[in-house]
Amino acid sequence: MSFTSTPTLENDRIRLEPLALAHAGALAEATAEGELWRAWYTSIPDAAGMSDEIERRLARQRADDMAPWAIVDPATDRAIGMTTFCDVDESNLRLEIGYTWLARAAHGTGVNPAVKLLLLSRAFDDLGCIRVQFCTHWHNRQSRAAIERLGAKQEGVLRSHRVMPDGHLRDTVVYSILDTEWPAVRRGLQARLDSKR
């Protein structure tokens, strides 16, 4: 089973579909709501750049470097965000979950933990990963808090790690979950989702 394949994954709250150009219209609407693309500490495409971003992610998938999904609301069958497996290292049984964003209306609704439960289940249960990593901008406090609520452990900060599109240097905060920690993380995620019902 390839780490960069993208089967449809779903639970009772959300569906992850293989990312395709057909999702571009709905994703353009999702990013426009609240002008998510204006956040200086992350790289979310604007409506005009959505098709190019989808093509970029699909090219990385063809190069066995990324597994991109559209995050779809099953109640409306509309894409409300994107997520990926990236920094894939199949020989060392590790990958990163990243390049994730959600429409503003989905924030705080339980969609993010539902997505992470699907992705982590695939990584640990289906692919046999021993480590899953998360990285985010030091100043992206919302993302850092969400990653910490998953039960991921902060490993450190890579200073001046990446040049952002506007030219500023990003300090990257690195987190991970190990296979030995996954059972407790799964229970915590499931309890959070149960409390949102």
Side-chain angles (χ1 to χ4, degrees):
M1 190 178 313
S2 169
F3 278 31
T4 56
S5 64
T6 49
T8 298
L9 307 172
E10 60 187 314
N11 54 34
D12 61 356
R13 181 156 288 187
I14 203 71
R15 183 170 69 243
L16 301 182
E17 296 178 356
L19 184 64
L21 279 172
H23 294 113
L27 290 170
E29 289 177 20
T31 194
E33 175 196 330
E35 298 183 327
L36 295 177
W37 49 272
R38 288 193 184 274
W40 65 272
Y41 49 77
T42 191
S43 297
I44 298 174
D46 63 11
M50 191 60 66
S51 292
D52 288 344
E53 176 61 14
I54 292 171
E55 290 283 12
R56 186 185 72 77
R57 292 182 187 212
L58 294 176
R60 287 187 65 181
Q61 183 178 29
R62 289 189 294 274
D64 279 334
D65 181 50
M66 180 178 275
W69 283 274
I71 302 168
V72 177
D73 179 350
T76 62
D77 278 331
R78 295 202 43 89
I80 59 170
M82 291 194 277
T83 192
T84 74
F85 284 166
C86 54
D87 194 21
V88 173
D89 185 351
E90 199 163 337
S91 63
N92 286 301
L93 300 174
R94 67 177 180 81
L95 54 79
E96 181 178 326
I97 295 174
Y99 299 98
T100 303
W101 64 268
L102 286 168
R104 176 88 59 212
H107 292 194
T109 64
V111 168
N112 187 54
V115 167
K116 295 308 190 289
L117 181 59
L118 289 171
L119 293 173
L120 289 165
S121 294
R122 174 151 176 79
F124 289 118
D125 300 336
D126 299 343
L127 300 177
C129 285
I130 58 174
R131 171 190 167 84
V132 173
Q133 176 174 288
F134 302 83
C135 294
T136 193
H137 197 300
W138 171 261
H139 290 289
N140 192 342
R141 298 191 196 302
Q142 182 178 356
S143 178
R144 288 172 56 192
I147 293 168
E148 290 166 8
R149 279 193 303 274
L150 294 174
K153 305 283 192 297
Q154 182 178 327
E155 295 184 333
V157 180
L158 305 176
R159 299 174 65 206
S160 295
H161 178 242
R162 182 178 294 170
V163 179
M164 296 298 282
D166 68 359
H168 83 272
L169 295 175
R170 167 178 137 160
D171 290 347
T172 299
V173 188
V174 181
Y175 296 86
S176 68
I177 298 172
L178 304 181
D179 58 344
T180 54
E181 298 163 339
W182 167 229
V185 169
R186 176 176 33 216
R187 283 193 298 276
L189 279 170
Q190 195 59 62
R192 283 175 63 194
L193 291 172
D194 289 347
S195 73
K196 293 267 187 191
R197 293 185 198 286

